[in-house]
Amino acid sequence: MRAQRKETVEEKENNKEPRRDQNRATDREGRNREKNRGQQSRNTGEMGNSKSVSLSKDLLEELKLNTKYSEEQLCTGYQTFLRECPSGRISKQQFEAIYVKFFPDADPEAYARHVFRSFDSNSDGMLDFKEYIMALHLTSSGRTIQKLEWAFNLYDVDRNGSITKKEIQEIVESIFNMISKEDQKNLPDDENNPEKRADKIWDSFGKKENDKLTEEEFIQGVMDNKNILRLVQFDQPQKVQERLKEMKH
Protein backbone atom coordinates (compact mmCIF):
# COMPACT_ATOMS: atom_id res chain seq x y z
CA MET A 1 0.00 0.00 0.00
CA ARG A 2 2.86 2.40 0.84
CA ALA A 3 4.53 1.71 -2.52
CA GLN A 4 1.25 2.31 -4.28
CA ARG A 5 0.70 5.59 -2.45
CA LYS A 6 4.27 6.73 -3.31
CA GLU A 7 3.69 5.98 -6.97
CA THR A 8 0.48 7.94 -6.89
CA VAL A 9 2.21 11.00 -5.42
CA GLU A 10 4.94 10.79 -8.07
CA GLU A 11 2.35 10.59 -10.79
CA LYS A 12 0.64 13.69 -9.43
CA GLU A 13 3.94 15.56 -9.41
CA ASN A 14 4.64 14.43 -12.97
CA ASN A 15 1.19 15.55 -14.07
CA LYS A 16 1.84 19.07 -12.73
CA GLU A 17 4.80 19.66 -15.08
CA PRO A 18 2.73 19.81 -18.32
CA ARG A 19 0.34 22.22 -16.63
CA ARG A 20 3.23 24.44 -15.54
CA ASP A 21 4.61 24.43 -19.10
CA GLN A 22 1.18 25.24 -20.46
CA ASN A 23 0.79 28.13 -18.00
CA ARG A 24 4.20 29.49 -18.97
CA ALA A 25 3.23 29.34 -22.66
CA THR A 26 -0.06 31.09 -21.92
CA ASP A 27 1.77 33.82 -20.00
CA ARG A 28 4.19 34.32 -22.91
CA GLU A 29 1.32 34.57 -25.38
CA GLY A 30 -0.37 37.12 -23.16
CA ARG A 31 2.77 39.24 -22.93
CA ASN A 32 3.23 39.06 -26.69
CA ARG A 33 -0.34 40.19 -27.27
CA GLU A 34 0.17 43.14 -24.95
CA LYS A 35 3.41 44.01 -26.74
CA ASN A 36 1.71 43.88 -30.14
CA ARG A 37 -1.13 46.04 -28.93
CA GLY A 38 1.37 48.56 -27.61
CA GLN A 39 3.20 48.59 -30.95
CA GLN A 40 -0.06 49.10 -32.82
CA SER A 41 -0.92 51.99 -30.53
CA ARG A 42 2.46 53.58 -31.18
CA ASN A 43 2.06 53.11 -34.93
CA THR A 44 -1.36 54.69 -34.78
CA GLY A 45 0.01 57.60 -32.81
CA GLU A 46 2.55 58.21 -35.57
CA MET A 47 -0.24 58.83 -38.06
CA GLY A 48 -0.49 62.48 -37.08
CA ASN A 49 -4.05 63.70 -37.50
CA SER A 50 -5.13 60.41 -39.08
CA LYS A 51 -5.30 58.21 -35.98
CA SER A 52 -7.47 55.60 -37.58
CA VAL A 53 -6.96 53.42 -40.63
CA SER A 54 -10.54 54.14 -41.67
CA LEU A 55 -12.39 57.38 -42.30
CA SER A 56 -14.68 58.66 -39.60
CA LYS A 57 -18.36 58.43 -40.44
CA ASP A 58 -18.82 62.21 -40.24
CA LEU A 59 -15.91 62.97 -42.58
CA LEU A 60 -17.00 60.28 -45.01
CA GLU A 61 -20.51 61.71 -45.19
CA GLU A 62 -19.17 65.25 -45.59
CA LEU A 63 -16.90 64.28 -48.50
CA LYS A 64 -19.64 62.25 -50.19
CA LEU A 65 -21.94 65.25 -49.96
CA ASN A 66 -19.45 67.83 -51.25
CA THR A 67 -17.47 65.91 -53.87
CA LYS A 68 -18.11 63.60 -56.82
CA TYR A 69 -16.48 60.62 -55.10
CA SER A 70 -18.33 57.51 -53.90
CA GLU A 71 -17.87 55.90 -50.49
CA GLU A 72 -15.77 53.12 -52.02
CA GLN A 73 -13.53 55.60 -53.84
CA LEU A 74 -13.02 57.67 -50.70
CA CYS A 75 -12.17 54.68 -48.53
CA THR A 76 -9.76 53.27 -51.11
CA GLY A 77 -8.26 56.71 -51.65
CA TYR A 78 -7.73 57.11 -47.92
CA GLN A 79 -5.74 53.88 -47.72
CA THR A 80 -3.59 54.97 -50.67
CA PHE A 81 -3.14 58.40 -49.12
CA LEU A 82 -1.83 56.89 -45.87
CA ARG A 83 0.53 54.53 -47.71
CA GLU A 84 2.03 57.41 -49.66
CA CYS A 85 1.93 59.87 -46.76
CA PRO A 86 2.25 57.88 -43.50
CA SER A 87 2.00 61.09 -41.47
CA GLY A 88 -1.50 61.55 -42.86
CA ARG A 89 -0.61 64.90 -44.44
CA ILE A 90 1.12 66.37 -47.51
CA SER A 91 3.71 69.08 -46.97
CA LYS A 92 4.01 72.16 -49.13
CA GLN A 93 7.35 70.90 -50.38
CA GLN A 94 5.82 67.59 -51.50
CA PHE A 95 3.00 69.44 -53.23
CA GLU A 96 5.39 71.78 -55.05
CA ALA A 97 7.51 68.80 -56.12
CA ILE A 98 4.51 67.42 -58.02
CA TYR A 99 4.43 70.54 -60.20
CA VAL A 100 8.21 70.69 -60.64
CA LYS A 101 8.36 67.11 -61.96
CA PHE A 102 5.65 67.72 -64.53
CA PHE A 103 6.84 71.14 -65.67
CA PRO A 104 10.64 70.77 -65.77
CA ASP A 105 10.99 73.51 -68.39
CA ALA A 106 8.89 76.00 -66.45
CA ASP A 107 9.01 77.65 -63.04
CA PRO A 108 5.92 76.25 -61.31
CA GLU A 109 6.88 76.75 -57.68
CA ALA A 110 5.12 80.10 -57.20
CA TYR A 111 1.87 78.84 -58.73
CA ALA A 112 2.04 75.58 -56.76
CA ARG A 113 2.62 77.56 -53.58
CA HIS A 114 -0.50 79.66 -54.22
CA VAL A 115 -2.60 76.59 -55.06
CA PHE A 116 -1.40 74.88 -51.89
CA ARG A 117 -2.24 77.96 -49.82
CA SER A 118 -5.75 78.10 -51.31
CA PHE A 119 -6.47 74.57 -50.08
CA ASP A 120 -4.65 74.78 -46.76
CA SER A 121 -7.83 75.84 -44.97
CA ASN A 122 -6.35 75.86 -41.46
CA SER A 123 -3.03 77.45 -42.50
CA ASP A 124 -0.88 74.80 -40.84
CA GLY A 125 1.42 74.31 -43.82
CA MET A 126 0.07 70.83 -44.53
CA LEU A 127 -2.82 69.28 -46.45
CA ASP A 128 -4.78 66.60 -44.64
CA PHE A 129 -6.96 64.05 -46.42
CA LYS A 130 -10.04 66.30 -46.48
CA GLU A 131 -8.12 69.23 -47.97
CA TYR A 132 -6.41 66.92 -50.45
CA ILE A 133 -9.71 65.42 -51.68
CA MET A 134 -11.25 68.87 -52.04
CA ALA A 135 -8.23 69.93 -54.09
CA LEU A 136 -8.69 66.96 -56.42
CA HIS A 137 -12.39 67.59 -56.74
CA LEU A 138 -12.28 71.33 -57.38
CA THR A 139 -9.42 71.18 -59.88
CA SER A 140 -11.09 68.44 -61.89
CA SER A 141 -14.88 68.40 -61.87
CA GLY A 142 -16.23 70.63 -59.15
CA ARG A 143 -19.42 72.58 -59.70
CA THR A 144 -18.97 76.02 -61.26
CA ILE A 145 -19.75 77.93 -58.06
CA GLN A 146 -17.35 75.76 -56.08
CA LYS A 147 -14.62 76.35 -58.62
CA LEU A 148 -15.18 80.08 -58.54
CA GLU A 149 -15.09 80.12 -54.75
CA TRP A 150 -11.76 78.31 -54.93
CA ALA A 151 -10.50 80.70 -57.65
CA PHE A 152 -11.35 83.63 -55.39
CA ASN A 153 -9.35 82.03 -52.57
CA LEU A 154 -6.46 81.54 -54.96
CA TYR A 155 -6.38 85.25 -55.84
CA ASP A 156 -7.06 86.45 -52.30
CA VAL A 157 -3.40 86.13 -51.41
CA ASP A 158 -3.57 87.82 -48.00
CA ARG A 159 -6.89 86.13 -47.13
CA ASN A 160 -8.61 89.34 -46.10
CA GLY A 161 -11.81 88.63 -48.03
CA SER A 162 -11.15 90.87 -51.04
CA ILE A 163 -8.88 91.00 -54.08
CA THR A 164 -6.71 93.90 -55.20
CA LYS A 165 -5.17 94.49 -58.61
CA LYS A 166 -1.76 93.77 -57.09
CA GLU A 167 -2.96 90.31 -56.06
CA ILE A 168 -4.33 89.71 -59.56
CA GLN A 169 -0.91 90.62 -60.94
CA GLU A 170 0.88 88.27 -58.53
CA ILE A 171 -1.21 85.22 -59.47
CA VAL A 172 -1.16 86.00 -63.19
CA GLU A 173 2.62 86.26 -63.08
CA SER A 174 2.84 82.83 -61.44
CA ILE A 175 0.56 81.45 -64.17
CA PHE A 176 2.78 82.89 -66.89
CA ASN A 177 5.73 81.11 -65.31
CA MET A 178 3.88 77.89 -66.18
CA ILE A 179 3.34 78.83 -69.85
CA SER A 180 6.16 78.16 -72.27
CA LYS A 181 7.63 81.09 -74.14
CA GLU A 182 6.49 79.52 -77.39
CA ASP A 183 2.88 79.31 -76.21
CA GLN A 184 3.02 82.87 -74.93
CA LYS A 185 3.73 84.01 -78.48
CA ASN A 186 0.35 82.61 -79.55
CA LEU A 187 -1.62 84.64 -77.02
CA PRO A 188 -3.61 87.73 -78.15
CA ASP A 189 -1.62 90.96 -78.12
CA ASP A 190 -3.63 92.40 -75.24
CA GLU A 191 -2.82 89.48 -72.90
CA ASN A 192 0.55 88.11 -73.99
CA ASN A 193 2.39 89.15 -70.83
CA PRO A 194 1.45 89.24 -67.12
CA GLU A 195 0.90 93.00 -66.99
CA LYS A 196 -1.44 93.05 -69.98
CA ARG A 197 -3.46 90.08 -68.78
CA ALA A 198 -3.81 91.49 -65.26
CA ASP A 199 -5.02 94.80 -66.74
CA LYS A 200 -7.52 92.97 -68.94
CA ILE A 201 -8.90 90.98 -66.00
CA TRP A 202 -9.20 94.04 -63.77
CA ASP A 203 -10.87 96.11 -66.49
CA SER A 204 -13.32 93.26 -67.15
CA PHE A 205 -14.66 93.73 -63.63
CA GLY A 206 -15.05 97.46 -64.18
CA LYS A 207 -12.71 98.32 -61.34
CA LYS A 208 -10.45 101.32 -60.89
CA GLU A 209 -6.76 101.01 -60.06
CA ASN A 210 -7.12 101.09 -56.25
CA ASP A 211 -10.51 99.40 -55.95
CA LYS A 212 -11.09 96.06 -54.28
CA LEU A 213 -13.05 93.07 -55.53
CA THR A 214 -15.32 91.13 -53.17
CA GLU A 215 -16.03 87.42 -53.52
CA GLU A 216 -19.59 88.12 -54.61
CA GLU A 217 -18.40 90.57 -57.29
CA PHE A 218 -15.76 88.11 -58.46
CA ILE A 219 -18.18 85.21 -58.85
CA GLN A 220 -20.90 87.29 -60.46
CA GLY A 221 -18.42 88.93 -62.83
CA VAL A 222 -17.15 85.57 -64.07
CA MET A 223 -20.69 84.20 -64.39
CA ASP A 224 -21.62 87.21 -66.54
CA ASN A 225 -18.46 87.10 -68.64
CA LYS A 226 -17.10 83.63 -69.41
CA ASN A 227 -14.00 85.15 -70.98
CA ILE A 228 -12.82 86.20 -67.52
CA LEU A 229 -12.74 82.55 -66.40
CA ARG A 230 -10.31 81.75 -69.20
CA LEU A 231 -8.13 84.66 -68.15
CA VAL A 232 -7.97 83.87 -64.44
CA GLN A 233 -7.22 80.15 -64.67
CA PHE A 234 -4.28 78.04 -65.76
CA ASP A 235 -5.30 76.10 -68.86
CA GLN A 236 -3.08 73.03 -68.45
CA PRO A 237 -4.00 71.40 -65.13
CA GLN A 238 -4.54 67.84 -66.38
CA LYS A 239 -1.04 66.54 -65.76
CA VAL A 240 -1.03 67.98 -62.27
CA GLN A 241 -4.43 66.44 -61.52
CA GLU A 242 -3.18 63.02 -62.66
CA ARG A 243 -0.07 63.41 -60.54
CA LEU A 244 -2.10 64.30 -57.47
CA LYS A 245 -4.32 61.28 -57.99
CA GLU A 246 -1.34 58.95 -58.25
CA MET A 247 0.23 60.43 -55.11
CA LYS A 248 3.69 59.18 -56.06
CA HIS A 249 6.41 61.58 -55.07
Side-chain angles (χ1 to χ4, degrees):
M1 292 294 293
R2 291 176 183 172
Q4 185 177 358
R5 283 197 298 272
K6 182 178 180 181
E7 182 178 346
T8 301
V9 170
E10 290 176 351
E11 287 176 352
K12 288 181 179 179
E13 289 299 320
N14 290 337
N15 288 337
K16 288 180 182 179
E17 290 303 320
R19 287 198 295 271
R20 290 194 189 102
D21 293 339
Q22 184 178 6
N23 290 338
R24 292 191 194 103
T26 301
D27 290 342
R28 283 196 298 272
E29 290 175 0
R31 287 194 296 271
N32 288 337
R33 282 196 296 269
E34 290 298 323
K35 183 178 179 181
N36 290 337
R37 280 198 291 267
Q39 184 62 47
Q40 289 172 356
S41 297
R42 286 191 293 274
N43 290 342
T44 300
E46 292 170 358
M47 296 296 287
N49 288 341
S50 303
K51 294 186 177 181
S52 173
V53 294
S54 60
L55 282 171
S56 70
K57 182 178 179 180
D58 289 343
L59 180 55
L60 182 59
E61 291 302 318
E62 181 181 352
L63 292 177
K64 284 167 59 180
L65 181 64
N66 293 299
T67 72
K68 65 175 182 176
Y69 302 114
S70 67
E71 180 171 336
E72 182 180 358
Q73 288 174 318
L74 290 169
C75 291
T76 301
Y78 187 59
Q79 299 302 321
T80 302
F81 182 84
L82 291 182
R83 283 198 300 271
E84 297 292 341
C85 300
S87 68
R89 302 190 295 175
I90 304 174
S91 70
K92 183 170 65 174
Q93 290 73 22
Q94 288 174 308
F95 191 85
E96 291 176 4
I98 294 172
Y99 280 77
V100 170
K101 287 181 180 180
F102 270 88
F103 298 94
D105 300 323
D107 181 14
E109 290 188 14
Y111 184 73
R113 185 170 62 251
H114 285 301
V115 173
F116 184 92
R117 184 240 327 139
S118 71
F119 287 114
D120 183 15
S121 57
N122 58 359
S123 303
D124 66 349
M126 304 289 284
L127 294 186
D128 60 23
F129 183 69
K130 176 183 175 181
E131 293 166 330
Y132 161 71
I133 286 295
M134 292 307 299
L136 284 184
H137 174 68
L138 291 177
T139 56
S140 57
S141 61
R143 295 190 297 270
T144 300
I145 294 298
Q146 285 182 315
K147 281 189 173 183
L148 293 181
E149 289 172 345
W150 166 68
F152 179 85
N153 290 332
L154 178 68
Y155 279 85
D156 184 14
V157 177
D158 61 9
R159 295 184 170 183
N160 70 348
S162 62
I163 296 173
T164 63
K165 185 176 181 180
K166 183 178 179 180
E167 288 174 316
I168 293 283
Q169 292 170 335
E170 182 173 345
I171 300 301
V172 168
E173 185 172 345
S174 72
I175 290 175
F176 263 75
N177 289 340
M178 302 278 286
I179 304 174
S180 70
K181 296 298 181 182
E182 193 64 31
D183 288 338
Q184 289 183 31
K185 294 177 182 179
N186 298 324
L187 293 172
D189 290 340
D190 61 346
E191 56 179 82
N192 60 6
N193 65 44
E195 293 77 16
K196 290 181 180 180
R197 177 172 283 200
D199 286 343
K200 189 172 183 178
I201 293 171
W202 199 244
D203 291 342
S204 296
F205 287 108
K207 292 293 184 178
K208 296 180 181 179
E209 188 73 18
N210 296 320
D211 285 346
K212 293 183 178 182
L213 189 64
T214 67
E215 182 177 12
E216 182 179 358
E217 291 174 324
F218 178 85
I219 292 175
Q220 191 60 52
V222 175
M223 296 290 286
D224 293 341
N225 185 349
K226 299 299 182 182
N227 190 48
I228 300 179
L229 181 60
R230 179 185 63 80
L231 293 172
V232 299
Q233 68 183 1
F234 176 54
D235 296 329
Q236 294 177 306
Q238 189 60 39
K239 287 184 178 180
V240 176
Q241 292 166 14
E242 291 173 354
R243 181 62 176 173
L244 285 169
K245 289 176 182 177
E246 291 173 3
M247 283 296 299
K248 294 178 181 177
H249 39 262

Short mmCIF file of all heavy atoms in Angstrom, two decimals, residues 53-55 60 69-83 129 132-133 245:
data_model
loop_
_atom_site.label_atom_id
_atom_site.label_comp_id
_atom_site.label_asym_id
_atom_site.label_seq_id
_atom_site.Cartn_x
_atom_site.Cartn_y
_atom_site.Cartn_z
N VAL A 53 -7.22 53.90 -39.27
CA VAL A 53 -6.96 53.42 -40.63
C VAL A 53 -8.22 53.52 -41.48
O VAL A 53 -8.22 53.14 -42.63
CB VAL A 53 -6.44 51.97 -40.62
CG1 VAL A 53 -5.08 51.91 -39.96
CG2 VAL A 53 -7.43 51.04 -39.92
N SER A 54 -9.31 53.97 -40.91
CA SER A 54 -10.54 54.14 -41.67
C SER A 54 -11.08 55.54 -41.43
O SER A 54 -10.83 56.15 -40.39
CB SER A 54 -11.59 53.10 -41.26
OG SER A 54 -11.90 53.22 -39.90
N LEU A 55 -11.81 56.04 -42.41
CA LEU A 55 -12.39 57.38 -42.30
C LEU A 55 -13.49 57.41 -41.25
O LEU A 55 -14.23 56.45 -41.09
CB LEU A 55 -12.99 57.80 -43.65
CG LEU A 55 -12.02 58.27 -44.73
CD1 LEU A 55 -12.77 58.43 -46.05
CD2 LEU A 55 -11.35 59.56 -44.34
N LEU A 60 -16.57 61.02 -43.82
CA LEU A 60 -17.00 60.28 -45.01
C LEU A 60 -18.28 60.87 -45.58
O LEU A 60 -18.38 61.10 -46.80
CB LEU A 60 -17.20 58.81 -44.66
CG LEU A 60 -17.59 57.88 -45.82
CD1 LEU A 60 -16.54 57.90 -46.93
CD2 LEU A 60 -17.79 56.46 -45.31
N TYR A 69 -17.01 61.94 -55.38
CA TYR A 69 -16.48 60.62 -55.10
C TYR A 69 -17.46 59.76 -54.29
O TYR A 69 -18.16 60.25 -53.40
CB TYR A 69 -15.15 60.73 -54.37
CG TYR A 69 -14.13 61.52 -55.15
CD1 TYR A 69 -13.67 62.75 -54.68
CD2 TYR A 69 -13.64 61.05 -56.36
CE1 TYR A 69 -12.75 63.50 -55.40
CE2 TYR A 69 -12.72 61.78 -57.09
CZ TYR A 69 -12.28 63.00 -56.60
OH TYR A 69 -11.39 63.73 -57.33
N SER A 70 -17.47 58.46 -54.61
CA SER A 70 -18.33 57.51 -53.90
C SER A 70 -17.66 57.08 -52.60
O SER A 70 -16.46 57.35 -52.37
CB SER A 70 -18.57 56.27 -54.77
OG SER A 70 -17.35 55.54 -54.94
N GLU A 71 -18.41 56.38 -51.76
CA GLU A 71 -17.87 55.90 -50.49
C GLU A 71 -16.70 54.95 -50.73
O GLU A 71 -15.67 55.02 -50.05
CB GLU A 71 -18.97 55.20 -49.69
CG GLU A 71 -18.51 54.66 -48.34
CD GLU A 71 -19.66 54.17 -47.48
OE1 GLU A 71 -20.81 54.63 -47.68
OE2 GLU A 71 -19.40 53.32 -46.60
N GLU A 72 -16.85 54.07 -51.71
CA GLU A 72 -15.77 53.12 -52.02
C GLU A 72 -14.51 53.84 -52.48
O GLU A 72 -13.40 53.51 -52.07
CB GLU A 72 -16.24 52.14 -53.09
CG GLU A 72 -15.20 51.09 -53.46
CD GLU A 72 -15.69 50.12 -54.52
OE1 GLU A 72 -16.85 50.26 -54.95
OE2 GLU A 72 -14.91 49.24 -54.91
N GLN A 73 -14.68 54.85 -53.35
CA GLN A 73 -13.53 55.60 -53.84
C GLN A 73 -12.84 56.35 -52.71
O GLN A 73 -11.60 56.41 -52.66
CB GLN A 73 -13.99 56.59 -54.91
CG GLN A 73 -14.38 55.94 -56.23
CD GLN A 73 -14.97 56.94 -57.21
OE1 GLN A 73 -15.77 57.81 -56.83
NE2 GLN A 73 -14.58 56.84 -58.46
N LEU A 74 -13.61 56.92 -51.81
CA LEU A 74 -13.02 57.67 -50.70
C LEU A 74 -12.27 56.75 -49.74
O LEU A 74 -11.16 57.10 -49.31
CB LEU A 74 -14.12 58.42 -49.94
CG LEU A 74 -14.74 59.60 -50.70
CD1 LEU A 74 -16.00 60.08 -49.97
CD2 LEU A 74 -13.75 60.74 -50.85
N CYS A 75 -12.83 55.62 -49.44
CA CYS A 75 -12.17 54.68 -48.53
C CYS A 75 -10.89 54.12 -49.14
O CYS A 75 -9.85 54.03 -48.47
CB CYS A 75 -13.12 53.55 -48.15
SG CYS A 75 -14.51 54.07 -47.10
N THR A 76 -10.96 53.76 -50.42
CA THR A 76 -9.76 53.27 -51.11
C THR A 76 -8.71 54.37 -51.21
O THR A 76 -7.52 54.13 -50.99
CB THR A 76 -10.12 52.77 -52.52
OG1 THR A 76 -11.09 51.72 -52.42
CG2 THR A 76 -8.88 52.25 -53.25
N GLY A 77 -9.17 55.58 -51.55
CA GLY A 77 -8.26 56.71 -51.65
C GLY A 77 -7.57 57.03 -50.34
O GLY A 77 -6.41 57.42 -50.30
N TYR A 78 -8.29 56.84 -49.25
CA TYR A 78 -7.73 57.11 -47.92
C TYR A 78 -6.59 56.14 -47.60
O TYR A 78 -5.55 56.53 -47.08
CB TYR A 78 -8.83 57.01 -46.88
CG TYR A 78 -8.40 57.43 -45.49
CD1 TYR A 78 -7.90 58.71 -45.25
CD2 TYR A 78 -8.48 56.55 -44.42
CE1 TYR A 78 -7.51 59.10 -43.99
CE2 TYR A 78 -8.10 56.93 -43.15
CZ TYR A 78 -7.61 58.21 -42.94
OH TYR A 78 -7.22 58.59 -41.68
N GLN A 79 -6.79 54.87 -47.94
CA GLN A 79 -5.74 53.88 -47.72
C GLN A 79 -4.50 54.20 -48.55
O GLN A 79 -3.37 54.13 -48.05
CB GLN A 79 -6.26 52.47 -48.07
CG GLN A 79 -7.44 52.01 -47.24
CD GLN A 79 -7.16 51.98 -45.76
OE1 GLN A 79 -6.06 51.60 -45.35
NE2 GLN A 79 -8.13 52.36 -44.95
N THR A 80 -4.71 54.58 -49.80
CA THR A 80 -3.59 54.97 -50.67
C THR A 80 -2.88 56.19 -50.13
O THR A 80 -1.65 56.28 -50.11
CB THR A 80 -4.09 55.24 -52.10
OG1 THR A 80 -4.75 54.08 -52.60
CG2 THR A 80 -2.94 55.61 -53.02
N PHE A 81 -3.67 57.15 -49.68
CA PHE A 81 -3.14 58.40 -49.12
C PHE A 81 -2.21 58.10 -47.94
O PHE A 81 -1.11 58.65 -47.84
CB PHE A 81 -4.31 59.27 -48.68
CG PHE A 81 -3.91 60.61 -48.12
CD1 PHE A 81 -3.66 61.68 -48.96
CD2 PHE A 81 -3.83 60.81 -46.75
CE1 PHE A 81 -3.30 62.92 -48.45
CE2 PHE A 81 -3.48 62.04 -46.23
CZ PHE A 81 -3.21 63.09 -47.07
N LEU A 82 -2.64 57.21 -47.05
CA LEU A 82 -1.83 56.89 -45.87
C LEU A 82 -0.58 56.11 -46.24
O LEU A 82 0.46 56.25 -45.59
CB LEU A 82 -2.66 56.10 -44.86
CG LEU A 82 -3.78 56.88 -44.16
CD1 LEU A 82 -4.49 55.98 -43.15
CD2 LEU A 82 -3.24 58.12 -43.46
N ARG A 83 -0.67 55.26 -47.27
CA ARG A 83 0.53 54.53 -47.71
C ARG A 83 1.56 55.49 -48.27
O ARG A 83 2.76 55.34 -48.02
CB ARG A 83 0.16 53.48 -48.76
CG ARG A 83 -0.49 52.23 -48.20
CD ARG A 83 -0.43 51.08 -49.19
NE ARG A 83 -1.12 51.40 -50.44
CZ ARG A 83 -2.40 51.17 -50.65
NH1 ARG A 83 -3.15 50.64 -49.68
NH2 ARG A 83 -2.97 51.47 -51.80
N PHE A 129 -6.22 64.79 -45.40
CA PHE A 129 -6.96 64.05 -46.42
C PHE A 129 -8.16 64.84 -46.94
O PHE A 129 -8.44 64.85 -48.14
CB PHE A 129 -7.44 62.71 -45.86
CG PHE A 129 -8.15 61.85 -46.88
CD1 PHE A 129 -7.47 61.29 -47.94
CD2 PHE A 129 -9.52 61.63 -46.77
CE1 PHE A 129 -8.12 60.51 -48.89
CE2 PHE A 129 -10.18 60.84 -47.71
CZ PHE A 129 -9.48 60.29 -48.76
N TYR A 132 -6.94 67.55 -49.24
CA TYR A 132 -6.41 66.92 -50.45
C TYR A 132 -7.54 66.49 -51.39
O TYR A 132 -7.48 66.75 -52.60
CB TYR A 132 -5.57 65.71 -50.04
CG TYR A 132 -5.32 64.71 -51.14
CD1 TYR A 132 -4.47 65.00 -52.20
CD2 TYR A 132 -5.93 63.45 -51.11
CE1 TYR A 132 -4.25 64.08 -53.21
CE2 TYR A 132 -5.70 62.53 -52.12
CZ TYR A 132 -4.87 62.84 -53.15
OH TYR A 132 -4.65 61.93 -54.14
N ILE A 133 -8.58 65.86 -50.85
CA ILE A 133 -9.71 65.42 -51.68
C ILE A 133 -10.44 66.62 -52.28
O ILE A 133 -10.85 66.60 -53.46
CB ILE A 133 -10.69 64.56 -50.85
CG1 ILE A 133 -10.08 63.18 -50.60
CG2 ILE A 133 -12.03 64.41 -51.56
CD1 ILE A 133 -9.88 62.34 -51.85
N LYS A 245 -3.55 62.50 -58.19
CA LYS A 245 -4.32 61.28 -57.99
C LYS A 245 -3.40 60.09 -57.73
O LYS A 245 -3.70 59.19 -56.95
CB LYS A 245 -5.20 61.01 -59.21
CG LYS A 245 -6.36 61.99 -59.33
CD LYS A 245 -7.15 61.74 -60.61
CE LYS A 245 -8.28 62.76 -60.76
NZ LYS A 245 -9.01 62.59 -62.03
#
